[in-house]
Amino acid sequence: MEHDLSPSALAELRRPRPYPAVSVLTPTHRRDPLSTEDAVRLRTMVAEAKKRLESDPAVPRDRRADVAAQLDRALAEVDLAHTEDGLVIFAAPGEHQVWSLARSVPERVVLSDTFLTRNLVSAQTAERPFWVLSVAADRATLWSGGPDRVTEERAGGFPLIREEPNFDPERLERVGDQPSSYRDEDTRRFLKEAATALTSLVRAHPRPLYLTGEPAALSLLCEFGGACKDAVQVPRGGLVHGTPEMVWQAVRPVLEEQDRRRAEDVARELESARSRKEFAAGVDELWQNAREGRIRLLAVEENYRITVRDDGDHLIVAEDGDLDAREDIVDEIVEQCLETGAEVRFVPDGALGDAQGMAAVLRY
C-alpha cells in the first residue's frame, strides 16, 4: 500500500487514462473492533465498482475484464492490519494502486478518464508529514513523521552506516572528548555524504525537516548546507539506534510549539482580513471563491467535515446518502485552493469560532 504522495506521484496519478479509470474510496479503522467491518465494506465497494463496469455500455468487454482483474489484484494487496483512516483503490487498464490515508474518506466509486486524487491531496495536506534525520559519527537514521507518530524510513540510501573497521565511538567517548570525533576528516566525509543524500531525498519528497543529534554533529551538518541549512535542530543524541517512540517524544514538543504559533498566526490573519473585508466563511461562499481562484489562505479545522448538495446556484447542507450528496466537499475545496496557489493550514478543532470549521483570507 502507498502512503507518500510526492509531487511526481501526484502528477502520474493525474494524467489521463483510457476510460474507465476506476477510483474506489472507503473509510477504514486503525483498531478493533470497528476494523473487523472494513473487510466486508471493502469487498462491497469493489463489487459495486465491478457492477458499474458491467452496466456501462461505453466499456468494451476486454477492457472491462482487464479493469475487473486489476481491482481483484488491488484487493488482494490490501493489508487491513495496517490501514489508517481511509483507503483508496485506483484501477485502470493494465494498472492498479492502493493508497492508505491518515484521513477518512466517503464511500464512493467513480468511473472517469482520470483518477480521483482530491482525497489524497487533502489527506497529505492535513497530515503535514515531516522528515527526521538522527545523526551520530557512525550512523544516520531517517524517520518519517505524521500527526502522532514517526516510523523508520528506509529510502534515499538511509540508514547510512559508516563502514570503518577501526572506528570505535565508544572508545572516543571513554577518552573523554566525544565531540572531537566530529573534527575527524573521515567523520566529516561521512556526515557530508549524509547531508548530500538527505538533500536529494527532500528535493524529491519535500517535507519539513528536523535534525536530532549531538550539537557538534548538527553544527557540522549545517556547514554542508543543502536541506540541512533550513532544518529545525533538536539537540539530542542517542537516537540513531532509538525506537520510534523515543524519536517521537524528542520532536513532539517542537512540533506542538510550532502548531501553537501557526494557529495564532492564522487567527491574526483572519481577524485582519475581516477588517479589510477580505474574509470569507461558509462552505458555499468558500467553494465559489475557491473556483474563482480568489482564496490566498484557507484555514480548516482538523476534523471538519460537511455533506452538501448542489441546488444549481448554491451548495446547501445535506444528509449523508442524499441524492447527489457531496460528502468530500471539504477535500474538494482544499485541492482547488492548492491548485490555484493558495496556502492551506489545518488548525485545532474549535479554533475558528463562529466561522464553523473553515474560513479564508481572500486575494481581493
Short mmCIF file of all heavy atoms in Angstrom, two decimals, residues 180-223:
data_model
loop_
_atom_site.label_atom_id
_atom_site.label_comp_id
_atom_site.label_asym_id
_atom_site.label_seq_id
_atom_site.Cartn_x
_atom_site.Cartn_y
_atom_site.Cartn_z
N SER A 180 35.18 15.66 19.73
CA SER A 180 36.33 15.75 18.86
C SER A 180 36.22 14.80 17.67
O SER A 180 36.87 15.00 16.65
CB SER A 180 37.62 15.44 19.63
OG SER A 180 37.65 14.08 20.04
N SER A 181 35.42 13.74 17.80
CA SER A 181 35.25 12.81 16.69
C SER A 181 34.66 13.51 15.47
O SER A 181 34.88 13.08 14.33
CB SER A 181 34.36 11.63 17.10
OG SER A 181 33.05 12.08 17.37
N TYR A 182 33.94 14.60 15.67
CA TYR A 182 33.34 15.33 14.55
C TYR A 182 34.34 16.24 13.86
O TYR A 182 34.02 16.86 12.85
CB TYR A 182 32.11 16.11 15.03
CG TYR A 182 31.02 15.18 15.53
CD1 TYR A 182 30.76 15.04 16.89
CD2 TYR A 182 30.30 14.41 14.63
CE1 TYR A 182 29.78 14.16 17.34
CE2 TYR A 182 29.33 13.52 15.07
CZ TYR A 182 29.08 13.41 16.43
OH TYR A 182 28.12 12.53 16.86
N ARG A 183 35.57 16.35 14.42
CA ARG A 183 36.62 17.08 13.73
C ARG A 183 37.50 16.15 12.89
O ARG A 183 38.35 16.60 12.13
CB ARG A 183 37.47 17.85 14.75
CG ARG A 183 36.69 18.97 15.45
CD ARG A 183 37.63 19.91 16.17
NE ARG A 183 38.29 19.27 17.31
CZ ARG A 183 37.80 19.29 18.55
NH1 ARG A 183 36.64 19.90 18.78
NH2 ARG A 183 38.45 18.71 19.54
N ASP A 184 37.26 14.85 13.04
CA ASP A 184 37.99 13.87 12.26
C ASP A 184 37.55 13.96 10.80
O ASP A 184 36.36 14.07 10.49
CB ASP A 184 37.70 12.47 12.82
CG ASP A 184 38.32 11.38 11.97
OD1 ASP A 184 39.53 11.18 12.09
OD2 ASP A 184 37.57 10.74 11.19
N GLU A 185 38.51 13.92 9.87
CA GLU A 185 38.21 14.10 8.46
C GLU A 185 37.29 13.01 7.91
O GLU A 185 36.40 13.28 7.10
CB GLU A 185 39.50 14.15 7.65
CG GLU A 185 39.30 14.57 6.20
CD GLU A 185 38.64 15.94 6.06
OE1 GLU A 185 38.89 16.81 6.93
OE2 GLU A 185 37.85 16.12 5.11
N ASP A 186 37.48 11.77 8.37
CA ASP A 186 36.61 10.68 7.89
C ASP A 186 35.17 10.90 8.36
O ASP A 186 34.21 10.61 7.64
CB ASP A 186 37.12 9.33 8.39
CG ASP A 186 38.39 8.90 7.67
OD1 ASP A 186 38.62 9.41 6.56
OD2 ASP A 186 39.15 8.08 8.23
N THR A 187 35.02 11.40 9.60
CA THR A 187 33.67 11.69 10.10
C THR A 187 33.03 12.81 9.32
O THR A 187 31.85 12.76 8.99
CB THR A 187 33.72 12.06 11.60
OG1 THR A 187 34.33 11.00 12.33
CG2 THR A 187 32.32 12.32 12.14
N ARG A 188 33.81 13.82 8.99
CA ARG A 188 33.29 14.93 8.19
C ARG A 188 32.81 14.43 6.83
O ARG A 188 31.75 14.83 6.35
CB ARG A 188 34.36 16.01 8.00
CG ARG A 188 34.71 16.78 9.27
CD ARG A 188 35.82 17.79 8.99
NE ARG A 188 35.39 18.78 8.02
CZ ARG A 188 34.74 19.91 8.33
NH1 ARG A 188 34.43 20.17 9.60
NH2 ARG A 188 34.39 20.77 7.40
N ARG A 189 33.60 13.54 6.21
CA ARG A 189 33.18 12.99 4.93
C ARG A 189 31.88 12.20 5.06
O ARG A 189 31.01 12.26 4.20
CB ARG A 189 34.28 12.11 4.34
CG ARG A 189 35.37 12.89 3.62
CD ARG A 189 36.20 11.96 2.73
NE ARG A 189 36.94 10.99 3.53
CZ ARG A 189 38.18 11.18 3.97
NH1 ARG A 189 38.81 12.32 3.70
NH2 ARG A 189 38.80 10.25 4.66
N PHE A 190 31.77 11.43 6.15
CA PHE A 190 30.57 10.63 6.36
C PHE A 190 29.34 11.52 6.51
O PHE A 190 28.29 11.27 5.90
CB PHE A 190 30.73 9.75 7.61
CG PHE A 190 29.48 9.03 8.01
CD1 PHE A 190 29.00 7.95 7.30
CD2 PHE A 190 28.74 9.47 9.12
CE1 PHE A 190 27.84 7.30 7.66
CE2 PHE A 190 27.57 8.83 9.49
CZ PHE A 190 27.13 7.74 8.75
N LEU A 191 29.45 12.57 7.32
CA LEU A 191 28.30 13.45 7.53
C LEU A 191 27.99 14.28 6.28
O LEU A 191 26.83 14.61 6.03
CB LEU A 191 28.54 14.35 8.74
CG LEU A 191 28.53 13.63 10.09
CD1 LEU A 191 28.75 14.62 11.23
CD2 LEU A 191 27.23 12.87 10.30
N LYS A 192 29.01 14.60 5.50
CA LYS A 192 28.75 15.29 4.24
C LYS A 192 27.97 14.38 3.29
O LYS A 192 27.05 14.82 2.60
CB LYS A 192 30.06 15.73 3.59
CG LYS A 192 29.85 16.54 2.32
CD LYS A 192 31.16 17.05 1.75
CE LYS A 192 30.91 17.90 0.51
NZ LYS A 192 32.18 18.43 -0.05
N GLU A 193 28.32 13.10 3.29
CA GLU A 193 27.57 12.13 2.48
C GLU A 193 26.11 12.06 2.95
O GLU A 193 25.19 12.01 2.12
CB GLU A 193 28.22 10.75 2.60
CG GLU A 193 27.54 9.67 1.77
CD GLU A 193 28.15 8.30 1.99
OE1 GLU A 193 29.19 8.20 2.66
OE2 GLU A 193 27.56 7.31 1.48
N ALA A 194 25.90 12.08 4.27
CA ALA A 194 24.53 12.06 4.81
C ALA A 194 23.77 13.30 4.40
O ALA A 194 22.59 13.24 4.01
CB ALA A 194 24.57 11.92 6.33
N ALA A 195 24.42 14.47 4.49
CA ALA A 195 23.77 15.72 4.12
C ALA A 195 23.40 15.74 2.64
O ALA A 195 22.33 16.21 2.25
CB ALA A 195 24.67 16.90 4.46
N THR A 196 24.28 15.22 1.80
CA THR A 196 24.01 15.18 0.36
C THR A 196 22.84 14.25 0.04
O THR A 196 21.95 14.59 -0.76
CB THR A 196 25.27 14.72 -0.40
OG1 THR A 196 26.35 15.62 -0.11
CG2 THR A 196 25.01 14.67 -1.90
N ALA A 197 22.84 13.07 0.67
CA ALA A 197 21.75 12.12 0.45
C ALA A 197 20.42 12.69 0.92
O ALA A 197 19.38 12.53 0.27
CB ALA A 197 22.04 10.80 1.17
N LEU A 198 20.45 13.39 2.05
CA LEU A 198 19.23 13.97 2.59
C LEU A 198 18.70 15.07 1.68
O LEU A 198 17.49 15.17 1.44
CB LEU A 198 19.50 14.52 3.99
CG LEU A 198 18.28 15.07 4.73
CD1 LEU A 198 17.27 13.97 5.00
CD2 LEU A 198 18.70 15.74 6.03
N THR A 199 19.59 15.90 1.15
CA THR A 199 19.16 16.97 0.25
C THR A 199 18.47 16.40 -0.99
O THR A 199 17.44 16.91 -1.44
CB THR A 199 20.36 17.83 -0.15
OG1 THR A 199 20.91 18.45 1.03
CG2 THR A 199 19.96 18.91 -1.14
N SER A 200 19.02 15.32 -1.54
CA SER A 200 18.40 14.67 -2.70
C SER A 200 17.02 14.13 -2.35
O SER A 200 16.07 14.26 -3.12
CB SER A 200 19.29 13.54 -3.21
OG SER A 200 20.53 14.03 -3.66
N LEU A 201 16.89 13.53 -1.16
CA LEU A 201 15.61 12.97 -0.74
C LEU A 201 14.56 14.06 -0.58
O LEU A 201 13.43 13.94 -1.06
CB LEU A 201 15.78 12.21 0.58
CG LEU A 201 14.48 11.63 1.15
CD1 LEU A 201 14.30 10.19 0.69
CD2 LEU A 201 14.47 11.70 2.66
N VAL A 202 14.93 15.16 0.09
CA VAL A 202 13.97 16.23 0.34
C VAL A 202 13.59 16.93 -0.96
O VAL A 202 12.46 17.40 -1.13
CB VAL A 202 14.55 17.23 1.37
CG1 VAL A 202 13.65 18.44 1.52
CG2 VAL A 202 14.72 16.54 2.72
N ARG A 203 14.52 16.98 -1.91
CA ARG A 203 14.19 17.58 -3.20
C ARG A 203 13.12 16.74 -3.91
O ARG A 203 12.20 17.29 -4.53
CB ARG A 203 15.44 17.68 -4.06
CG ARG A 203 15.21 18.44 -5.37
CD ARG A 203 16.50 18.51 -6.20
NE ARG A 203 17.53 19.26 -5.50
CZ ARG A 203 18.71 18.77 -5.15
NH1 ARG A 203 19.01 17.51 -5.43
NH2 ARG A 203 19.60 19.52 -4.54
N ALA A 204 13.23 15.43 -3.81
CA ALA A 204 12.26 14.55 -4.47
C ALA A 204 10.97 14.42 -3.68
O ALA A 204 9.90 14.24 -4.25
CB ALA A 204 12.88 13.16 -4.67
N HIS A 205 11.07 14.51 -2.36
CA HIS A 205 9.91 14.36 -1.47
C HIS A 205 9.91 15.50 -0.46
O HIS A 205 10.32 15.33 0.69
CB HIS A 205 9.95 13.01 -0.75
CG HIS A 205 10.02 11.83 -1.66
ND1 HIS A 205 8.90 11.26 -2.24
CD2 HIS A 205 11.07 11.12 -2.13
CE1 HIS A 205 9.26 10.26 -3.01
NE2 HIS A 205 10.57 10.14 -2.96
N PRO A 206 9.47 16.70 -0.87
CA PRO A 206 9.57 17.87 0.00
C PRO A 206 8.71 17.74 1.26
O PRO A 206 7.51 17.43 1.18
CB PRO A 206 9.05 19.01 -0.89
CG PRO A 206 9.09 18.49 -2.29
CD PRO A 206 8.88 17.02 -2.19
N ARG A 207 9.34 17.95 2.40
CA ARG A 207 8.66 17.98 3.70
C ARG A 207 9.49 18.84 4.65
O ARG A 207 10.69 18.99 4.45
CB ARG A 207 8.56 16.58 4.32
CG ARG A 207 7.79 15.52 3.58
CD ARG A 207 7.74 14.26 4.42
NE ARG A 207 7.13 13.13 3.75
CZ ARG A 207 6.94 11.94 4.33
NH1 ARG A 207 7.35 11.75 5.57
NH2 ARG A 207 6.38 10.96 3.66
N PRO A 208 8.87 19.36 5.71
CA PRO A 208 9.68 19.99 6.77
C PRO A 208 10.67 18.97 7.33
O PRO A 208 10.39 17.77 7.39
CB PRO A 208 8.63 20.38 7.82
CG PRO A 208 7.35 20.50 7.06
CD PRO A 208 7.43 19.46 5.98
N LEU A 209 11.84 19.46 7.76
CA LEU A 209 12.92 18.58 8.18
C LEU A 209 13.38 18.95 9.59
O LEU A 209 13.57 20.13 9.90
CB LEU A 209 14.09 18.70 7.20
CG LEU A 209 15.38 17.97 7.56
CD1 LEU A 209 15.15 16.46 7.61
CD2 LEU A 209 16.48 18.31 6.55
N TYR A 210 13.57 17.92 10.41
CA TYR A 210 14.08 18.08 11.77
C TYR A 210 15.34 17.22 11.90
O TYR A 210 15.39 16.10 11.40
CB TYR A 210 13.04 17.66 12.80
CG TYR A 210 11.77 18.48 12.70
CD1 TYR A 210 10.77 18.14 11.78
CD2 TYR A 210 11.56 19.60 13.49
CE1 TYR A 210 9.62 18.91 11.64
CE2 TYR A 210 10.42 20.37 13.38
CZ TYR A 210 9.46 20.02 12.45
OH TYR A 210 8.32 20.79 12.32
N LEU A 211 16.35 17.75 12.59
CA LEU A 211 17.61 17.04 12.80
C LEU A 211 17.81 16.79 14.28
O LEU A 211 17.66 17.71 15.09
CB LEU A 211 18.78 17.87 12.27
CG LEU A 211 18.77 18.28 10.80
CD1 LEU A 211 19.95 19.19 10.51
CD2 LEU A 211 18.80 17.05 9.90
N THR A 212 18.13 15.55 14.65
CA THR A 212 18.46 15.24 16.03
C THR A 212 19.88 14.69 16.08
O THR A 212 20.33 14.00 15.15
CB THR A 212 17.51 14.20 16.65
OG1 THR A 212 17.85 12.88 16.18
CG2 THR A 212 16.06 14.50 16.32
N GLY A 213 20.59 15.01 17.15
CA GLY A 213 21.95 14.53 17.32
C GLY A 213 22.70 15.41 18.30
O GLY A 213 22.16 16.38 18.84
N GLU A 214 23.96 15.08 18.54
CA GLU A 214 24.80 15.91 19.39
C GLU A 214 24.98 17.28 18.73
O GLU A 214 25.03 17.39 17.50
CB GLU A 214 26.17 15.26 19.60
CG GLU A 214 26.12 13.91 20.29
CD GLU A 214 25.71 14.03 21.76
OE1 GLU A 214 25.81 15.14 22.31
OE2 GLU A 214 25.29 13.01 22.33
N PRO A 215 25.10 18.36 19.54
CA PRO A 215 25.26 19.69 18.95
C PRO A 215 26.41 19.78 17.95
O PRO A 215 26.29 20.45 16.92
CB PRO A 215 25.51 20.58 20.17
CG PRO A 215 24.79 19.88 21.29
CD PRO A 215 24.96 18.41 21.00
N ALA A 216 27.52 19.09 18.22
CA ALA A 216 28.65 19.15 17.29
C ALA A 216 28.30 18.54 15.94
O ALA A 216 28.71 19.04 14.89
CB ALA A 216 29.85 18.41 17.90
N ALA A 217 27.52 17.45 15.95
CA ALA A 217 27.11 16.81 14.70
C ALA A 217 26.15 17.71 13.92
O ALA A 217 26.26 17.85 12.69
CB ALA A 217 26.45 15.47 14.99
N LEU A 218 25.22 18.35 14.61
CA LEU A 218 24.26 19.22 13.95
C LEU A 218 24.96 20.44 13.35
O LEU A 218 24.63 20.88 12.24
CB LEU A 218 23.18 19.66 14.94
CG LEU A 218 22.36 18.53 15.57
CD1 LEU A 218 21.27 19.11 16.47
CD2 LEU A 218 21.74 17.62 14.51
N SER A 219 25.92 20.97 14.09
CA SER A 219 26.66 22.12 13.60
C SER A 219 27.41 21.77 12.31
O SER A 219 27.42 22.54 11.34
CB SER A 219 27.64 22.60 14.67
OG SER A 219 28.43 23.66 14.18
N LEU A 220 28.00 20.59 12.29
CA LEU A 220 28.75 20.16 11.12
C LEU A 220 27.83 19.93 9.93
O LEU A 220 28.14 20.32 8.79
CB LEU A 220 29.52 18.89 11.44
CG LEU A 220 30.51 18.37 10.39
CD1 LEU A 220 31.48 19.47 9.99
CD2 LEU A 220 31.26 17.16 10.93
N LEU A 221 26.69 19.32 10.15
CA LEU A 221 25.73 19.10 9.06
C LEU A 221 25.32 20.42 8.42
O LEU A 221 25.22 20.53 7.20
CB LEU A 221 24.49 18.39 9.59
CG LEU A 221 24.51 16.87 9.67
CD1 LEU A 221 23.22 16.37 10.31
CD2 LEU A 221 24.69 16.23 8.30
N CYS A 222 25.09 21.43 9.25
CA CYS A 222 24.65 22.72 8.71
C CYS A 222 25.74 23.40 7.88
O CYS A 222 25.45 24.19 6.99
CB CYS A 222 24.21 23.64 9.85
SG CYS A 222 22.66 23.09 10.61
N GLU A 223 27.00 23.08 8.18
CA GLU A 223 28.10 23.62 7.37
C GLU A 223 27.98 23.16 5.92
O GLU A 223 28.40 23.86 5.01
CB GLU A 223 29.45 23.17 7.93
CG GLU A 223 29.89 23.89 9.19
CD GLU A 223 31.29 23.46 9.59
OE1 GLU A 223 32.05 23.00 8.72
OE2 GLU A 223 31.61 23.56 10.79
#
